[in-house]
Amino acid sequence: AQSVAQPEDQVNVAEGNPLTVKCTYSVSGNPYLFWYVQYPNRGLQFLLKYITGDNLVKGSYGFEAEFNKSQTSFHLKKPSALVSASALYFCAPRGNLIFGKGTKLSVKP
Amino acid sequence: DAGVIQSPRHEVTEMGQEVTLRCKPISGHNSLFWYRQTMMRGLELLIYFNNNVPIDDSGMPEDRFSAKMPNASFSTLKIQPSEPRDSAVYFCASSSWGLSSYEQYFGPGTRLTVT
């Protein structure tokens, strides 16, 4: 069975500060993991994925995510937050048939 | 590439009416997914197709919902009869299906309001 959990409904951060959006997983087999972003009134948009290899994955818009097998986590990070990053973020396991509940990121100027 | 195309973008209908949502996946993708998104329930998978064949429709809420994919470039989601609780944003997504390592590409969604 594949599942992910996003423990935070909302993350608030000031512009310019680092941000982290958390995701933990429970999967069988290879832990392929994905992050998506949804801007208001838009469909989900792929950000990045971990398949194998380097635990630090880089994606669109300056986002990166760190795969941590011991902690079964795949947290999304960005060194310096921008107001334009305010959106809903979803984590998903392999197959992308289920998604986390989403975390609303709010970046304040 | 035009991306995943959905129509209509907005649909307002009265309870009891039939509603048909349409989707054109990205050319070359062989998997198609229908989702429903609401504030209360989040993003729910309704059904997905692989090579035009329905693989899992366990997310379809009731017999009032049906989906078809007559060819690789077109799919429909039909609700008959519609009810107010069907009001939601419906998304279509497509992807390449291989080792489950492929990301999905979402359409802009259809916002359905049933009065």
Side-chain angles (χ1 to χ4, degrees), chain B residues 4-105:
Chain B
V4 175
I5 299 172
Q6 291 187 247
S7 64
R9 293 294 310 277
H10 302 273
E11 177 80 37
V12 179
T13 190
E14 293 183 348
M15 181 175 61
Q17 297 298 307
E18 177 180 296
V19 175
T20 299
L21 311 182
R22 297 173 176 80
C23 175
K24 177 179 171 55
I26 291 173
S27 177
H29 284 181
N30 59 356
S31 295
L32 184 139
F33 309 80
W34 282 102
Y35 293 90
R36 177 172 68 176
Q37 187 177 36
T38 62
M39 289 291 291
M40 291 295 294
R41 300 176 68 90
L43 191 65
E44 302 173 279
L45 175 68
L46 300 177
I47 185 172
Y48 73 94
F49 297 82
N50 193 30
N51 292 326
N52 312 335
V53 176
I55 304 300
D56 185 353
D57 65 355
S58 60
M60 298 285 262
E62 300 173 30
D63 291 345
R64 299 184 295 107
F65 285 69
S66 62
K68 294 182 179 180
M69 192 166 186
N71 56 63
S73 59
F74 184 65
S75 177
T76 59
L77 178 68
K78 184 177 293 186
I79 307 173
Q80 166 63 19
S82 57
E83 297 183 2
R85 58 189 168 134
D86 302 331
S87 297
V89 180
Y90 290 81
F91 290 104
C92 174
S94 70
S95 77
S96 299
W97 188 272
L99 300 174
S100 303
S101 62
Y102 291 96
E103 58 273 19
Q104 294 183 10
Y105 292 83

Side-chain angles (χ1 to χ4, degrees), chain A residues 9-67:
Chain A
D9 289 337
Q10 182 156 346
V11 170
N12 298 312
V13 63
E15 187 175 32
N17 285 358
L19 70 87
T20 299
V21 182
K22 296 179 180 178
C23 173
T24 58
Y25 67 88
S26 174
V27 301
S28 56
N30 294 325
Y32 301 162
L33 295 162
F34 300 76
W35 275 103
Y36 291 80
V37 61
Q38 185 180 28
Y39 296 103
N41 301 313
R42 303 283 293 276
L44 276 68
Q45 187 175 336
F46 170 72
L47 273 179
L48 52 78
K49 63 183 176 184
Y50 171 82
I51 303 299
T52 187
D54 194 348
N55 290 342
L56 186 63
V57 180
K58 294 186 183 297
S60 306
Y61 309 120
F63 280 96
E64 58 190 27
E66 185 173 8
F67 173 72

